[in-house]
Amino acid sequence: MGIEEARRIMMNHFANAARRFGLSELYGYIYGVLFFADEPLSLGEIAEKTGYSISHVSSALKLLESVGLVTRIKKPGDKKAYFTAIKNLKEWRKAAYYNKLLEDVQQTRINVQKALEEIEKDKSEEAEKIREKLKFMLKRNEITERIIKLLIKSDEEKLLEKLILCLDELEKERA
């Protein structure tokens, strides 16, 4: 029962992770099926293993592929598309979190800069308050962007260990 229970625990974990991101549990189950698969699976095989319809699985695979958690593979001489999950945790975190966070941070920067341009000539007190808030937001956003880029480019584990040491030092100073 150990192996099956371990699979069940992880399948539920993937389903709950999908729910935390506001998605159907289907996304987690698909990822879980592909995570445990020894070889790439076809759309039909994934639908069969998850119990969901081919159309639902197809839609979910498009999203999972777009965020980099699933890769589409073509086999020579076979017209079917096959899918595999990213299984390297470091690459998974980059694909699922860091790249999407970076995209959001970069879009935030663009929008804050546009908003600043809109009130550039306005010298009113209200515009000045908004400008200060936006400049603060831009500065925080810049720091966030640098941290995410570091996480993407560096040996993540070593960087995280150094960040933890810095956080521990800050906590000691505050105590």
Side-chain angles (χ1 to χ4, degrees), residues 112-165:
V112 170
Q113 288 170 334
K114 284 180 185 177
L116 281 169
E117 288 172 13
E118 285 297 318
I119 61 170
E120 186 176 1
K121 295 178 183 172
D122 190 332
K123 302 300 177 194
S124 70
E125 190 175 318
E126 183 180 4
E128 188 55 38
K129 286 180 185 179
I130 292 171
R131 208 175 351 269
E132 289 303 312
K133 289 178 183 179
L134 291 174
K135 285 180 181 178
F136 178 78
M137 188 177 187
L138 200 57
K139 188 172 186 102
R140 285 294 172 110
N141 196 71
E142 180 183 328
I143 292 167
T144 304
E145 186 171 354
R146 288 181 65 194
I147 291 169
I148 294 169
K149 284 180 177 178
L150 270 173
L151 288 168
I152 290 171
K153 291 178 183 176
S154 71
D155 177 351
E156 182 182 304
E157 299 310 315
K158 286 182 183 176
L159 177 62
L160 290 175
E161 288 172 12
K162 288 180 181 181
L163 286 172
I164 288 169
L165 288 174

Side-chain angles (χ1 to χ4, degrees), residues 7-72:
R7 283 181 194 264
R8 187 193 65 72
I9 289 168
M10 290 311 299
M11 292 295 285
N12 286 334
H13 167 75
F14 294 135
N16 288 327
R19 283 188 206 105
R20 282 191 297 276
F21 283 99
L23 300 170
S24 161
E25 64 190 22
L26 165 64
Y27 294 87
Y29 289 134
I30 290 171
Y31 182 81
V33 163
L34 292 172
F35 182 84
F36 286 112
D38 292 330
E39 57 189 49
L41 299 176
S42 70
L43 179 61
E45 290 169 322
I46 297 166
E48 184 180 315
K49 289 181 182 286
T50 60
Y52 286 88
S53 71
I54 287 179
S55 63
H56 281 105
V57 171
S58 176
S59 295
L61 281 167
K62 286 176 186 169
L63 178 104
L64 291 170
E65 194 176 4
S66 75
V67 298
L69 290 174
V70 169
T71 304
R72 180 185 304 255

Side-chain angles (χ1 to χ4, degrees), residues 59-92:
S59 295
L61 281 167
K62 286 176 186 169
L63 178 104
L64 291 170
E65 194 176 4
S66 75
V67 298
L69 290 174
V70 169
T71 304
R72 180 185 304 255
I73 297 169
K74 286 285 195 179
K75 294 183 178 180
D78 193 341
K79 292 185 179 184
K80 287 184 189 177
Y82 292 84
F83 300 88
T84 187
I86 291 178
K87 296 178 184 177
N88 177 315
L89 187 57
K90 181 178 176 182
E91 292 304 314
W92 181 77

